[in-house]
Amino acid sequence: MLYQVSHLTRYVSETKVSIGMNQMHLSPRTTAWQTCLEHEILTTPGPSVRDIRGDAFGNTVGYFFFESGYQSLEIRALSRVEVLPRPRLDPESSPAWESIVASVERERSGEWLRAMEMTVPSPHVDWTGSELADYARESFSPGKPVVAGLAALLDRFHDDFEFDAESTTVSTTVTEVFELRKGVCQDFAHAFIAMLRSIGLPARYVSGYLRTHAPEGKPRLRGADASHAWVALYAGELGWIELDPTNRCFISQDHITTAWGRDYSDVNPVCGIVIGSGLHSLHVEVDVDEITESGDVPLVP
Amino acid sequence: MSSEMLEPGMAEIFSLYHPPGDVYDELLDDESQPRPHWRRFAESLSDEGRVDLLDRWQTANRLLRENGVTHSVVGQDQEGLRPWELDLLPVVFDQREWESIDRGVRQRARLVAAVTADLYGEQTLLRGSLPPRVLFRHPEYQRAYFDLPKSQTPLALFGCELARSESGQWWVMADRSSAPAGISYAVENRIVISKTLPQILHRCQIQRLAPFFILLQESLKQLARRRRSNPSIVLLSGGPNHPYYFEDVFLARYLGYPLVEIEDLAVRKNRVWIKTLEGLVPVDVILWRSPDRNIDPLELGGFSPDGVAGLLQVLRNKNVVVANGFQYSLLDAPVFMPFLPAICRELLGEELILPSIATWWCGQREPLEFVLERFDELVIKPAFGRSGSEEYIVSELADERREALHARIMADPENFVAQEKIKRSSAPCWVQNELRVGHLALRTFAVGRGSEFETMPGGLVRVGLSTAPMPLSISAGAFSKDVWVCAEEPVPPVSLLARAGGPTRLARVNLRLPSRAADNLFWLGRYLERLEFAGRHIRKVTERLMSESAAQPVQDVLPLIACLAEQGLIEESWGVREFLPARDELELVWPRIVAQRSDPQRFGSLRDKVYRLASTVRDRLSDDLWRAFTAIGARDFPLRSGRDLDLSELSQSIERLLLHISSITGQVFDGLVDGPTRWFLLIGKHVERAQQLTGTLSHFLNQQADADVLSLVTLLDVCNSLLTYRSRYRSQFSLLPAIDLVVTDGGNPRSMRHQFEQLRSLLGALPRRKGSRGLSPEERIVEEALVELRTILPDPDADVEWDDYRTQLTDFLARCEDRTGRITDELSAAYFIHTGKVRLIDQNIPQER
């Protein structure tokens, strides 16, 4: 599947900002199942300093400093990405979940070490004092194959948690989300990760985009999409198994990955600081278009 | 042991020394004979005599107090500050013994640097000697520091806390690599000892500390590859609210680096700059001493805008060096200790020379079982806390707390370590003219020099009077001792000051005053003046209450009380005549009302405020000037004794306060060179005096009964102009000449006109705003005031009626009320704020459903 993604972020301030600095995780990763073919970040005004580097998780991070200031800032990330289908998982033949827990405690090589980092609490995923582990254990009964456990938890989670953009903020904790049983994709990803980590399973936060489908018989709304977040669990030989608690599915070709980390704080798509101005308005537009052979769309409109 | 066993010539006082038999003693060997390297000291001491020792001990500790050597938190209140105390008897080491510590500390420093570099880079240790969860669970492990260039983030200073056990073996109690505390106390102790026992110090051939600091200076200079000839190096402090601020101030002065705080720094054009009066000045090397975690809000802020936005990017681009940076806080935690012997073999290919105190990490099954078995014999600490922050001696806990601690460990074993208790070695201490046994905690330091380290030939000893475990904080322990490392040959003198090569060019005025310091100096000037004015008012009220019988009214001081109440310096309600207590009651409650510290605006809190502001600019003040501020802030000041004073005690106390203030004022005028420090102190002072005069005069004009001589005398007295008036007019008291003296007479330093004239010349000296011409906004406000004053009284001979004068003066005073505020705002916008407030912009929350 070939996609073109446009991610626009626009800040408008009441008076001119004298200096602005931004850190961005907007570049799609290239992995075994995904290739970033083209990618560009364009800003208006142009940056006075611009730097692209890799972070501790291998994500691409952009630093854009605007030292001449601005009244409004537009950041447009344009990418062309090819996404391959993932191998089908057979839930019942996967290893028992406890064997993953045992391996991640013991193994020190390559990916296991990275996975171990994903078993400990992180800034947005701290389950101390909550009953998240009990909730998770209902699906991960002793000896349960790990993928079957995941599928069971995914179903229960989707039934129990309600999408509600009004109920949480960026500072809502996983424990609160667990009590409210409400939230947005970010909250769901954090809560789901906390459940897995609380029983010793390695789970990370994945940030990216989701292709959406227009309602039957209507044209798809432009710019109606947003960035998205989901979860990946490390299962040894099966690699990182990705699933989307918000949409109750294992990931195949509808998700485009930009970055991963312990939680949202590691991969915030666009964050930054400004000096010398009052209120801001923020506007975000994301468009994910499938490119068909016949109707090729130019990368830069 | 008895005195007969001492060799002839040994200090008589040591005959009184009886160390406990179950610990290692620094002075006496197993046969109760003095160890050889102590003999020279003991002999020199016996020549000095015992009476003399008490005298010198007092001198030493007075010096420390006067220098404002304190420890612990300044915080909201000075109560948290304790004076630093020094025992004149040092701990003596011979060169050979010190060499083993020296080698061990140097290796330890290399090890800490290597482990930190590995964990923020290759992470080979996670596949080898270190359980990965030690790193992954470490709250100080910040992914943003990953792969920062090693060249830009060296370990320049390392601190090592040691204790000697019964066997004579030294053990490392803690490693200190982010902002190691104690280094300045070590130097300050040595300076005081060298003033109190100069001959002994000389005779014993003690190794000097200065070369250690010269190495540090050179090492930091080497780090600034970009501007090797004259790099700009600053010391970054956590500021006056942090525990060891005194150390930062001392170290900055001693090394000759500007002391800055994090708000003084900004990132522009891929470099780090200090915000100063003359604009932004670039920085090459930052010696980091701040414990703040939020160093770059762009990458680490979370929800806090504190820090220097963009700093990490400048480091990645190799445009600044941060020595002893934030990443070194990892290794301050005790959780690494059990793994260091294996890590040392793995990373350095060496055996660990100085062992750590036996430590068990509860995150592993076997150590945990061991800890639970021997629970009552151990000390429990948070595994990832900077060691010393929190610790429990299990055997001393009540059952309930012991159970609670046990439960906390079981709930999250990875979060705890247990350590063995150690019986520290003993040494003689001279406490209140009595020889006592003290138990030692030794802290010494190493300076980085390329990939190698050098150890300080000395350090700091803290003394506990029992063998109970001593907390690691520098402020723990009963007092401190100097550490003497004897040299085998006489030691040549060294100084940090006299270095080859004179100044390259003359510099008259240094405008590189950080904007924050200018701001604090301005407010220091204002509060100092407010303290003086309020002090005069209070003194006058007190005097009148004392001189009149309780039945006599004291109408003349009512404007003064109103003026104090209006500013919240005393109970606000007293500003309203009806709420003022009756005359006889007033006399009783007055001292208590004045001493109130319930509110930060109260007169009682003002002294703390002045002291605190002075401490923020400590590095700008001479030692003498600082001593005067220390006197104002002293804890034993009668006003804050906690008990109720009577009127005469209050009066004496205020008298003393005014004396200290005039000593400060004298030193500001007489001792401070013409430059921004002086300018901003004086601008603050004159702005405040103009404001206080405005208030006092307004209240006087509101309440004065015509030709009330007593009221006039009171007014002239609080304005410090009574003497001048008497010399001019003798006892002829009338309104016009009296008011002229305190308003329109520019020759009187206490007059309104004088304040504005002084402001005119001081403001004129400030650097111009970029691209502006003519008068600045604050200068225009001052000119306006001066024009109005000329209208009230064009010249001394002008024929002016009191009624006209009074009408114009009332108008003038009304306009002055916001003038001082406007001048403050203008100065603040132009000189203090330099860059606006940093705000985090809205986070982009993924919301796809």
Side-chain angles (χ1 to χ4, degrees):
Chain A
M1 206 82 82
L2 206 55
Y3 290 107
Q4 176 165 310
V5 183
S6 158
H7 182 162
L8 173 84
T9 309
R10 187 187 297 125
Y11 293 102
V12 181
S13 67
E14 283 176 344
T15 54
K16 193 174 178 241
V17 163
S18 61
I19 284 169
M21 298 180 178
N22 293 88
Q23 182 194 41
M24 309 169 190
H25 284 92
L26 291 171
S27 315
R29 291 189 72 129
T30 289
T31 64
W33 61 89
Q34 172 178 303
T35 311
C36 178
L37 301 167
E38 278 178 77
H39 172 66
E40 197 158 8
I41 298 175
L42 300 167
T43 69
T44 316
S48 53
V49 178
R50 170 195 166 115
D51 222 332
I52 306 284
R53 63 169 195 102
D55 71 6
F57 302 98
N59 304 308
T60 304
V61 197
Y63 290 92
F64 288 67
F65 291 2
F66 304 91
E67 292 183 16
S68 313
Y70 54 76
Q71 175 109 39
S72 73
L73 171 66
E74 220 175 76
I75 303 164
R76 190 184 289 275
L78 297 158
S79 314
R80 200 183 294 241
V81 185
E82 187 178 20
V83 181
L84 303 175
R86 313 277 177 107
R88 253 190 61 80
L89 294 163
D90 179 4
E92 296 308 322
S93 71
S94 60
W97 69 273
E98 295 96 332
S99 74
I100 305 294
V101 175
S103 297
V104 79
E105 277 174 15
R106 190 183 57 236
E107 298 289 334
R108 297 282 189 98
S109 58
E111 207 58 28
W112 279 112
L113 199 54
R114 265 174 226 142
M116 181 188 274
E117 186 168 12
M118 300 299 172
T119 60
V120 301
S122 56
H124 288 279
V125 182
D126 186 351
W127 59 88
T128 37
S130 76
E131 281 151 22
L132 278 153
D134 298 337
Y135 186 91
R137 278 204 195 89
E138 278 181 45
S139 301
F140 286 92
S141 47
K144 185 101 167 179
V146 65
V147 181
L150 268 182
L153 185 62
L154 187 62
D155 285 345
R156 278 175 55 227
F157 189 97
H158 194 263
D159 291 342
D160 291 348
F161 287 72
E162 184 193 341
F163 189 96
D164 180 355
E166 305 304 315
S167 61
T168 58
T169 68
V170 71
S171 56
T172 310
T173 66
V174 279
T175 328
E176 287 162 356
V177 171
F178 184 66
E179 277 158 19
L180 283 170
R181 306 272 160 123
K182 283 178 181 173
V184 295
C185 66
Q186 178 190 230
D187 304 314
F188 293 170
H190 284 153
F192 206 92
I193 291 168
M195 288 171 189
L196 297 175
R197 288 186 194 168
S198 69
I199 57 168
L201 287 166
R204 71 187 177 198
Y205 181 98
V206 188
S207 158
Y209 309 103
L210 171 67
R211 176 178 63 162
T212 53
H213 299 276
E216 203 72 32
K218 287 184 182 163
R220 214 168 59 81
L221 292 170
R222 303 292 308 167
D225 303 344
S227 48
H228 188 45
W230 58 97
V231 176
L233 171 126
Y234 189 65
E237 283 175 17
L238 295 174
W240 290 91
I241 299 171
E242 292 183 36
L243 66 161
D244 182 346
T246 315
N247 295 295
R248 192 193 206 153
C249 64
F250 284 84
I251 304 306
S252 184
Q253 277 182 289
D254 284 347
H255 292 66
I256 298 146
T257 305
T258 50
W260 58 64
R262 293 166 303 155
D263 59 37
Y264 171 72
S265 66
D266 287 331
V267 293
N268 190 346
V270 180
C271 64
I273 59 105
V274 293
I275 296 174
S277 173
L279 283 172
H280 274 253
S281 74
L282 165 67
H283 175 74
V284 179
E285 273 178 32
V286 174
D287 284 299
V288 179
D289 289 300
E290 192 186 332
I291 306 170
T292 51
E293 305 251 341
S294 52
D296 208 357
V297 196
L299 185 60
V300 182
Chain B
M1 65 151 258
S2 65
S3 56
E4 296 85 53
M5 293 175 74
L6 281 168
E7 286 177 16
M10 285 300 289
E12 170 237 340
I13 54 161
F14 285 142
S15 65
L16 305 166
Y17 180 57
H18 306 292
D22 59 344
V23 299
Y24 182 93
D25 191 69
E26 300 290 339
L27 171 69
L28 302 176
D29 63 17
D30 292 342
E31 265 83 57
S32 287
Q33 289 303 311
R35 297 175 193 279
H37 55 277
W38 279 82
R39 287 192 187 151
R40 197 181 291 158
F41 171 71
E43 284 158 15
S44 323
L45 195 63
S46 71
D47 295 348
E48 297 276 331
R50 174 172 174 168
V51 180
D52 207 27
L53 201 60
L54 175 66
D55 186 43
R56 284 171 195 235
W57 178 77
Q58 282 164 341
T59 310
N61 286 291
R62 180 178 50 77
L63 279 173
L64 286 168
R65 256 196 320 280
E66 283 180 358
N67 291 348
V69 184
T70 52
H71 53 91
S72 198
V73 193
V74 178
Q76 277 304 303
D77 190 312
Q78 244 203 294
E79 304 291 7
L81 276 178
R82 280 208 290 149
W84 183 250
E85 277 187 64
L86 173 63
D87 175 20
L88 280 188
L89 303 183
V91 182
V92 185
F93 290 93
D94 77 346
Q95 199 161 332
R96 186 128 359 107
E97 177 171 26
W98 187 261
E99 266 161 20
S100 69
I101 293 179
D102 167 60
R103 275 197 319 131
V105 171
R106 279 190 283 136
Q107 182 199 49
R108 198 103 185 168
R110 270 192 298 135
L111 183 60
V112 161
V115 175
T116 310
D118 181 75
L119 295 180
Y120 278 115
E122 300 286 311
Q123 299 194 333
T124 56
L125 287 175
L126 301 188
R127 294 180 187 86
S129 316
L130 188 72
R133 292 174 75 88
V134 167
L135 181 67
F136 294 149
R137 281 218 58 185
H138 204 312
E140 302 284 321
Y141 175 48
Q142 292 284 359
R143 276 71 179 171
Y145 305 157
F146 201 78
D147 264 345
L148 288 178
K150 304 288 168 276
S151 60
Q152 310 308 112
T153 52
L155 181 64
L157 271 179
F158 170 73
C160 195
E161 171 87 9
L162 297 149
R164 194 196 312 246
S165 67
E166 298 93 315
S167 66
Q169 164 74 47
W170 285 100
W171 301 87
V172 174
M173 307 299 288
D175 297 297
R176 282 284 182 268
S177 27
S178 68
I183 196 160
S184 304
Y185 293 110
V187 183
E188 186 78 36
N189 278 355
R190 176 62 60 83
I191 290 173
V192 167
I193 289 278
S194 67
K195 281 181 187 162
T196 28
L197 300 175
Q199 280 85 14
I200 300 187
L201 197 71
H202 192 69
R203 271 173 70 180
C204 292
Q205 299 184 356
I206 303 310
Q207 296 201 29
R208 291 171 193 276
L209 302 182
F212 178 84
F213 292 93
I214 292 173
L215 265 180
L216 176 60
Q217 284 174 326
E218 274 165 9
S219 149
L220 292 176
K221 202 170 167 186
Q222 292 289 322
L223 291 170
R225 279 168 208 83
R226 173 190 288 268
R227 295 170 65 203
R228 197 179 282 263
S229 62
N230 189 21
S232 122
I233 303 172
V234 298
L235 188 146
L236 183 106
S237 165
N241 288 328
H242 280 97
Y244 311 121
Y245 178 63
F246 157 80
E247 286 223 281
D248 298 340
V249 171
F250 181 89
L251 201 58
R253 281 166 72 103
Y254 193 64
L255 294 168
Y257 303 144
L259 181 77
V260 301
E261 290 173 33
I262 209 152
E263 312 90 84
D264 297 335
L265 301 178
V267 166
R268 301 283 183 277
K269 299 190 174 79
N270 236 325
R271 293 204 63 181
V272 179
W273 309 75
I274 324 179
K275 305 170 206 169
T276 75
L277 274 191
E278 61 168 8
L280 297 173
V281 175
V283 177
D284 299 305
V285 180
I286 304 170
L287 179 56
W288 201 278
R289 304 267 308 167
S290 164
D292 286 338
R293 282 192 199 181
N294 294 334
I295 59 149
D296 182 348
L298 183 61
E299 301 191 36
L300 300 161
F303 300 102
S304 157
D306 298 341
V308 191
L311 175 63
L312 292 176
Q313 266 303 100
V314 181
L315 274 171
R316 291 187 191 109
N317 290 318
K318 301 192 176 182
N319 284 333
V320 74
V321 173
V322 172
N324 278 72
F326 13 88
Q327 63 275 63
Y328 290 102
S329 56
L330 268 188
L331 270 283
D332 284 350
V335 66
F336 289 92
M337 285 191 155
F339 310 104
L340 287 182
I343 290 177
C344 188
R345 280 190 292 271
E346 185 182 341
L347 280 188
L348 305 182
E350 299 168 15
E351 289 300 318
L352 191 61
I353 299 170
L354 272 176
S356 314
I357 173 88
T359 306
W360 295 270
W361 181 43
C362 301
Q364 288 171 310
R365 194 183 312 137
E366 281 173 28
L368 176 63
E369 283 167 6
F370 179 84
V371 168
L372 297 178
E373 242 167 66
R374 289 179 48 189
F375 201 42
D376 290 325
E377 299 160 37
L378 300 170
V379 178
I380 306 291
K381 296 176 173 182
F384 302 104
R386 185 182 159 92
S387 50
S389 51
E390 185 188 349
E391 58 184 45
Y392 306 96
I393 302 157
V394 180
S395 60
E396 290 180 5
L397 295 180
D399 283 354
E400 217 168 282
R401 296 192 60 207
R402 184 185 178 280
E403 292 313 308
L405 180 62
H406 191 278
R408 274 178 71 198
I409 296 175
M410 294 317 289
D412 189 3
E414 282 180 354
N415 226 339
F416 294 90
V417 293
Q419 291 185 329
E420 198 176 50
K421 282 190 280 188
I422 205 169
K423 279 191 163 172
R424 295 167 185 270
S425 60
S426 55
C429 305
W430 186 251
V431 187
Q432 282 150 0
N433 216 19
E434 191 187 330
L435 199 65
R436 291 187 65 178
V437 175
H439 295 272
L440 310 185
L442 167 66
R443 184 167 299 198
T444 187
F445 304 89
V447 54
R449 192 184 181 192
S451 57
E452 286 300 316
F453 286 84
E454 297 278 339
T455 311
M456 173 189 276
L460 172 70
V461 157
R462 293 175 299 117
V463 181
L465 291 171
S466 77
T467 50
M470 204 186 317
L472 287 162
S473 157
I474 284 292
S475 53
F479 45 85
S480 68
K481 280 172 171 290
D482 193 13
V483 177
W484 289 11
V485 180
C486 302
E488 275 154 14
E489 286 141 34
V491 182
V494 196
S495 161
L496 258 66
L497 293 176
R499 310 280 295 282
T504 43
R505 62 194 166 94
L506 293 175
R508 283 280 152 75
V509 172
N510 182 7
L511 288 176
R512 293 192 171 180
L513 180 70
S515 306
R516 178 192 43 80
D519 192 1
N520 288 337
L521 284 163
F522 172 77
W523 283 103
L524 178 57
R526 286 201 63 167
Y527 281 118
L528 192 64
E529 180 63 24
R530 190 172 302 175
L531 188 63
E532 186 193 331
F533 232 90
R536 289 182 174 283
H537 281 50
I538 289 167
R539 178 173 66 176
K540 188 70 199 176
V541 175
T542 312
E543 272 172 11
R544 297 282 297 127
L545 288 174
M546 275 162 49
S547 64
E548 301 295 335
S549 77
Q552 284 294 332
V554 281
Q555 291 300 117
D556 58 307
V557 296
L558 295 183
L560 306 186
I561 293 177
C563 188
L564 291 167
E566 184 186 57
Q567 300 181 68
L569 290 160
I570 57 171
E571 194 79 50
E572 280 97 339
S573 62
W574 286 22
V576 182
R577 190 70 62 93
E578 295 86 84
F579 293 126
L580 196 63
R583 168 69 181 83
D584 47 347
E585 201 198 327
L586 180 64
E587 184 172 327
L588 293 175
V589 296
W590 176 248
R592 188 156 43 81
I593 288 294
V594 169
Q596 262 182 3
R597 299 164 70 221
S598 51
D599 193 296
Q601 293 178 53
R602 291 284 186 267
F603 176 73
S605 313
L606 213 49
R607 280 176 43 244
D608 291 341
K609 213 177 222 165
V610 166
Y611 179 77
R612 211 156 50 238
L613 277 167
S615 72
T616 66
V617 289
R618 168 70 184 89
D619 58 321
R620 309 266 147 202
L621 309 174
S622 71
D623 286 343
D624 287 342
L625 191 47
W626 173 242
R627 257 178 229 134
F629 279 112
T630 315
I632 283 197
R635 298 173 78 207
D636 54 356
F637 211 85
L639 257 182
R640 60 183 310 168
S641 62
R643 67 184 178 85
D644 288 347
L645 303 175
D646 63 27
L647 284 175
S648 86
E649 283 173 311
L650 175 64
S651 160
Q652 282 162 25
S653 178
I654 300 281
E655 206 63 64
R656 224 175 103 191
L657 175 70
L658 291 174
L659 201 68
H660 286 309
I661 294 175
S662 73
S663 140
I664 291 173
T665 316
Q667 290 192 53
V668 169
F669 278 109
D670 205 34
L672 272 182
V673 294
D674 194 30
T677 301
R678 181 188 169 99
W679 299 336
F680 280 100
L681 265 176
L682 291 182
I683 290 171
K685 183 182 178 60
H686 291 296
V687 167
E688 183 69 22
R689 191 173 282 181
Q691 183 173 308
Q692 292 297 338
L693 277 168
T694 305
T696 305
L697 285 162
S698 306
H699 284 286
F700 174 81
L701 292 180
N702 278 342
Q703 299 194 13
Q704 59 98 11
D706 283 287
D708 176 351
V709 172
L710 197 55
S711 295
L712 271 185
V713 171
T714 297
L715 176 72
L716 287 168
D717 196 11
V718 295
C719 294
N720 203 12
S721 304
L722 187 57
L723 202 69
T724 315
Y725 189 90
R726 284 220 165 100
S727 71
R728 283 188 192 168
Y729 307 101
R730 273 168 303 221
S731 299
Q732 303 290 310
F733 283 96
S734 69
L735 279 162
L736 187 57
I739 301 298
D740 166 60
L741 183 58
V742 292
V743 177
T744 33
D745 181 352
N748 178 9
R750 302 276 166 171
S751 75
M752 208 65 169
R753 170 175 272 164
H754 186 81
Q755 310 317 313
F756 286 107
E757 280 170 352
Q758 290 300 305
L759 283 172
R760 172 200 271 163
S761 82
L762 286 163
L763 294 175
L766 295 183
R768 302 278 96 184
R769 290 170 173 76
K770 253 187 200 134
S772 73
R773 287 152 155 245
L775 292 181
S776 65
E778 61 275 8
E779 282 178 301
R780 277 201 294 276
I781 300 168
V782 168
E783 289 307 323
E784 229 175 69
L786 285 168
V787 168
E788 286 177 26
L789 282 166
R790 265 192 299 278
T791 323
I792 299 176
L793 190 77
D795 62 84
D797 302 326
D799 191 15
V800 175
E801 290 296 318
W802 165 244
D803 283 342
D804 292 342
Y805 189 102
R806 184 199 162 117
T807 314
Q808 291 202 53
L809 176 60
T810 310
D811 292 349
F812 171 74
L813 292 176
R815 280 189 293 270
C816 273
E817 268 169 22
D818 87 332
R819 268 191 188 122
T820 46
R822 273 161 59 214
I823 294 175
T824 304
D825 292 345
E826 293 294 347
L827 285 171
S828 168
Y831 297 102
F832 306 151
I833 304 185
H834 260 295
T835 60
K837 217 175 153 47
V838 172
R839 293 167 213 275
L840 297 168
I841 50 183
D842 294 333
Q843 306 209 8
N844 189 356
I845 305 164
Q847 300 210 329
E848 183 77 50
R849 87 172 291 160

